Amino acid sequence: MPHRLHLGVFFTGVGPQLLWTAPDFAEHTHIDTFIATAKTLERGLFDAFFLGEGLRVRENRGRVYDLDVAGRPDAITQLAALAAETERIGLVATQNTTYNFPADLARRLASLDLVSGGRAGWNIVTTDNAWTGENFRHGGWLPHERRYERAAQFVEAAKALWAGDRVERHTDLVGLSAAPTVPASPQGRPVLFQAGDSAGGRDLAARHADVVFSANTDYDKAVEYAADLRKRLAEYGRSPDSLRILPGASVVLGDTPAEAAEKAAWIQREQTTGPRAIAFLEQYWGKDLSGYDPDGPLPDIEPADGELDPSRGTIPIHLRTGKLERVAEWRRLSADRGLSIRDLVIEVNPRHNSFVGTPGDIADEWERYVRTRAVDGFNILPQELPGTIEDIVDKLVPELQERGIYRTGYEGHTLREHLDLS
Amino acid sequence: MHFALEIDGSGAGSPPATAIGLGAAQAAEAAGFALVTLADSPLPPPGGGGRVEAGVRAAFLARRTGRIGLAPTLHVTTTEPFHLATQLASLDHASLGRAGWVVGAENSEAALATVGAQPLGEDELRREVADVIDVARQLWDSWEDDAVIREHATGRFLDPDRVHHVNFTGARFSVTGPLITPRPPQGQVVVLGADTLGVTGRLDIALIAAPDLDEVAERARQARADGAPLVFAELDVLLGEDQLDALTPWGPPRRLRHTGSAGELRTLLDRLEGLVDGVRFHPAVLSIDLPRLAATLGARPGAGRTLRETLGLPRPVNQFAAAR
C-alpha cells in the first residue's frame, strides 16, 4: 500500500491564530461550533480532531489579555460530548502531565476511549512555569529539566493501568497506588501523541508515542526531523513504521496562486493588528506602550529589567533569555529597513502560513512530502472557522484523493486503524 | 415534587456495569425525571467489572438527551479543584445548561492512594469540601456573562475588567484563576450533596439519607435552616415481589427503603411531599425497577430548558459583577 496522508485539525481555540474578526466567525466556545466542525472533518475523512489545552488564561502585564480569542472547554469533557455526535473521527485531548494525577487522567482518557468506541488519543504535554501552577495544588513544583522525567513516569503508569495492571509507584516525581477501573476499548488504549520538539520531547516520543505532532513543516527540516526520530526509535527497539509524524501546519487556499498569496498576506496583517503589535512589544519592554503608534517607529524608551514572563503563553526556550540583545537587534533592523512597530512584529514574529496556493499546487507539494516519508500527514491549525475547514474538505481533499494519497472512505473504526498503526 | 434517579451501573443492588447509562437516562427523561445522577469512585467496583468516569458519561449523555439534568459525582479529595470546575462548566456548556454536580468526598485510604495522598481527618475533610465548592463557585463566576465583547474598533475580543482572578486560598490549596472556560449557561452548576458533609449552606440541593421518615423530617428542617434551597430524600426502591432476592446485596438500610407495591410507594411519596422538595431514587435493578417506577409516577410536568429552570432555582447573579 502506498503511504497515505493522514490529516487532523488542531483546534487550539485561543490565541492570535484564529481570526475572530472574520465575518463568518463561529461562536468558538459554543458546543454547536464544535459539533459542526467535527462533522465537517468527518465528511472530509480526517483521522482526528484535536483539542488544545492551556491551564491559565493569558495575560499581558498582569491583566487578562484582551485582544485574542480566549475561553475553551475541558478537552476530555468536550470530546466525550462529540463522541456522541460523531461515528468515526479520532478525538484527541491535549492533557498535561505536570498538573494532573496519573491515575485520574488515565481513567478519564480510558473512559473517553471506551465511550467513543476506540477513537481517543492523548496529546501529552508538560508545563514548566509556576505561573500556570498557581491554579493547581502542586503549584510550580517541577523544574524545567525534570518535566519529561515526570512525563515518562506518568505515561508508564497510565500505560500499565490501560494494560490492566495494578500500579504501585512511589518516586520523587510520581506517587500512586491504583488499580484499573475502565475496561479496554476496541483499540486497546488511547493513541499517544507527543508534541515537544526539545531533545527531552523527542526522546519521550521515541519511547512512548504513536504519533508526533512536530513543528517541522519546512521540507528540509521535516526530512531531518524524521531521520532523527527514526534513529531514536531504533535505539528503543521500535520499527521506523511504528510512529506517525504529523507536523502542525496552516493552509491558505485560493483559486489562483495570486489570490492565495493575497489572502495569506491579509491573514498575517489581521493576526498582527496594531494593538497586538504593541502588546507584543510590551511583553519585551515590560512597560505600558499604549501611547505609541503601531504604524510609527519603535519605542524610544528602554525596556524594563528582567526577562520575559510566561503569562502570554508558554515561551520557547530560546526566547527566555537575551531580551535586551533581541531588542537591540530589532532597533537595528527597523532602522535599516524603515519598519514601523507593526511591520517589525510581522517580520520578527511571523505566523507562517505554511502552505499557500491552489488546492492542486498544495496537493502536489503534499504528495512529495508523503511519498518521500518526510511526514505522514499534517495537523492543520485553522485561521477561520468554519471557513478554513470547509475549504480544505471541499477543495483540497478531492485533489489529494485524485493523487491516490488520501482515503476515499473510512476503512476502520478506531483511531489506531485510521492511522494505520498496528 | 422533583424526582432524581441514580443510574450508575445496573442498579444500587448489583455491581456497577460498564454501561454509560444511555438507556436509563433516556427512559428517565421520557418519564419526566428532573435529573439523573452518576455515582463514581476512583476505585474499581467492589463486585468486579469496570466503570466509566462519571464526567465522561455525563458529557456523552448530554448529547443523547435533551431535557434532563445530568449530575456526575466528582470527588473533591481526588481531583484538582481547577479541573473539577472546568469539567463541570464544560458539561453545562455541552448540555446547554443541564449540569449538576454531586459532591463526592471519598476519603478511604485506597481512594486517596490513587493520587498519592492520605485520608483527611474529619475537620480537615469538611474544610476541604467547603474549599472546593467555594473555589468552583468563584471560578464559574470568574467570567462575567458579557465578558466577550468582540469590539472591532479597538480590536478587543474581551473586556478584561469582566474576567477575574479569584485569588482563592483554602486550607490545603490555592487557585489564582480565572477559569479557562466562560461562565456556564446556568451561571452556577447545580450543586448537590449530603447534609452530612457539613456544608449544607453551600449546596443547591441537600440530600438526606435517613432510614425513617421522622429523621428525614428533622434533618430536612435542619438543612433548610442551614440554607439549602432544596431538600431531597434518598430512597432505595424495589418494586414488585418477584425480585426480592435483589435485596441481598443491599445490606441494612442507610436511607429510606421501599420494597413492594406501586400503590404503597405512592402513599410514601404523598407523605414525603410535605417534608421534602424531591426524592432521589436508587432502584435495586435499573432495568426492572425503572419502567415500574416510571409507570407508578405517571406523567410529570414538562421540564424547563435548564436544570435550574426545571427545579425552580433562579440563575444566580455573578458575584464579581455584583461587587463591581
Side-chain angles (χ1 to χ4, degrees), chain A residues 20 35 54 57 59 63 66-67 71-72 74 77 81 84-85 99-100 107-108 111 134-135 137 175 177 181 183, chain B residues 18 40-41 50-51 53 59 63-64 76 79-80 83 87 90 113 128 155 157-158 160-161 165 176-177 180-181:
Chain A
W20 59 265
I35 294 169
V57 174
E59 294 174 6
R63 268 162 68 85
D66 54 358
L67 303 175
R72 55 178 152 196
D74 172 70
T77 306
E85 295 276 0
Y99 298 118
N100 269 295
R107 181 162 184 260
R108 288 167 30 74
S111 296
E134 284 172 14
N135 283 336
R137 290 180 186 270
S177 166
T181 66
Chain B
T18 58
D40 202 10
S41 165
R51 184 192 256 135
E53 192 269 334
R63 305 305 311 173
R64 296 286 176 91
V76 301
T79 55
E80 279 286 355
H83 290 323
Q87 288 157 18
S90 302
E128 187 71 357
F157 179 78
L158 52 80
D161 292 332
H165 289 132
T176 300
I180 55 170
T181 311

Side-chain angles (χ1 to χ4, degrees), chain A residues 140-354:
Chain A
W141 64 289
L142 195 61
H144 176 80
E145 57 282 6
R146 301 203 71 194
R147 331 175 265 169
Y148 281 110
E149 226 182 299
R150 165 153 161 111
Q153 293 183 21
F154 192 118
V155 172
E156 280 155 20
K159 277 182 154 177
L161 287 166
W162 293 333
D165 298 330
R166 209 191 142 73
V167 174
E168 283 282 351
R169 187 146 192 176
H170 301 279
T171 70
D172 63 333
L173 292 175
V174 162
L176 74 155
S177 166
T181 66
V182 188
S185 81
Q187 65 172 353
R189 61 161 172 82
V191 174
L192 300 182
F193 291 70
Q194 208 285 320
D197 201 25
S198 63
R202 289 180 186 205
D203 207 53
L204 182 68
R207 281 167 76 181
H208 291 297
D210 302 304
V211 185
V212 285
F213 168 28
S214 82
N216 301 289
T217 322
D218 174 77
Y219 184 78
D220 294 332
K221 273 194 196 161
V223 168
E224 199 181 303
Y225 178 75
D228 176 70
L229 265 184
R230 287 177 189 136
K231 193 171 86 221
R232 289 173 196 263
L233 282 177
E235 284 164 19
Y236 288 101
R238 293 178 60 186
S239 87
D241 199 43
S242 63
L243 184 74
R244 298 280 162 272
I245 302 174
L246 306 185
S250 57
V251 174
V252 182
L253 295 173
D255 291 340
T256 64
E259 191 190 300
E262 195 181 317
K263 183 161 188 199
W266 173 79
I267 288 172
Q268 198 162 49
R269 299 290 289 180
E270 284 293 299
Q271 287 173 335
T272 310
T273 58
R276 278 180 177 155
I278 295 288
F280 177 83
L281 289 194
E282 283 180 341
Q283 197 188 2
Y284 284 83
W285 257 258
K287 290 179 176 173
D288 177 5
L289 302 177
S290 59
Y292 289 86
D293 177 1
D295 296 318
L298 293 198
D300 43 13
I301 54 172
E302 288 310 306
D305 292 338
E307 294 294 350
L308 301 193
D309 74 67
S311 62
R312 285 280 301 284
T314 304
I315 300 170
I317 284 275
H318 67 279
L319 293 180
R320 290 185 193 180
T321 53
K323 178 176 107 172
L324 294 178
E325 292 79 355
R326 196 157 295 113
V327 168
E329 190 189 310
W330 292 347
R331 285 198 194 286
R332 279 193 300 276
L333 184 65
S334 106
D336 287 355
R337 295 178 38 196
L339 300 178
S340 69
I341 289 176
R342 190 174 176 196
D343 294 335
L344 177 90
V345 174
I346 289 175
E347 187 70 28
V348 303
N349 186 31
R351 305 188 192 288
H352 280 302
N353 289 305
S354 358

Side-chain angles (χ1 to χ4, degrees), chain A residues 24 68 71 91 104 116 232 247 274 306 324 360 362 397 420:
Chain A
D24 61 348
D68 289 353
L91 302 165
D104 179 50
S116 64
R232 289 173 196 263
L324 294 178
I362 292 178
V397 162
D420 297 322

Side-chain angles (χ1 to χ4, degrees), chain B residues 156-320:
Chain B
R156 294 193 314 159
F157 179 78
L158 52 80
D159 177 352
D161 292 332
R162 289 167 200 266
V163 183
H164 303 273
H165 289 132
V166 301
N167 293 318
F168 180 87
T169 303
R172 302 167 54 82
F173 64 88
S174 59
V175 174
T176 300
L179 203 63
I180 55 170
T181 311
R183 195 169 192 234
Q186 296 186 97
Q188 293 274 312
V189 170
V190 175
V191 181
L192 301 87
D195 62 339
T196 51
L197 291 172
V199 294
T200 304
R202 290 172 164 86
L203 304 172
D204 294 299
I205 302 177
L207 300 168
I208 314 280
D212 65 71
L213 278 176
D214 288 343
E215 192 180 332
V216 168
E218 173 50 33
R219 280 165 58 187
R221 213 166 18 246
Q222 185 61 47
R224 287 208 177 87
D226 290 341
L230 294 174
V231 178
F232 281 24
E234 301 270 37
L235 175 59
D236 285 336
V237 61
L238 183 152
L239 287 170
E241 306 289 332
D242 55 328
Q243 48 150 353
L244 279 175
D245 55 348
L247 269 178
T248 320
W250 250 353
R254 291 170 296 127
R255 49 199 172 209
L256 291 179
R257 175 171 293 175
H258 172 78
T259 58
S261 77
E264 285 158 358
L265 176 63
R266 250 185 247 108
T267 310
L268 174 62
L269 293 176
D270 285 343
R271 292 180 65 191
L272 280 167
E273 179 119 43
L275 306 178
V276 292
D277 307 293
V279 172
R280 176 162 74 147
F281 294 99
H282 299 261
V285 180
L286 265 173
S287 59
I288 298 173
D289 290 298
L290 178 52
R292 291 176 183 181
L293 194 53
T296 307
L297 301 177
R300 307 286 309 156
R305 284 176 305 120
T306 68
L307 179 55
R308 282 186 174 275
E309 278 182 22
T310 299
L311 296 168
L313 291 170
R315 187 175 189 275
V317 172
N318 186 307
Q319 55 189 294
F320 293 99

Side-chain angles (χ1 to χ4, degrees), chain B residues 80-99:
Chain B
E80 279 286 355
F82 190 83
H83 290 323
L84 177 147
T86 310
Q87 288 157 18
L88 290 164
S90 302
L91 175 62
D92 206 43
H93 282 285
S95 64
L96 304 175
R98 295 184 286 130

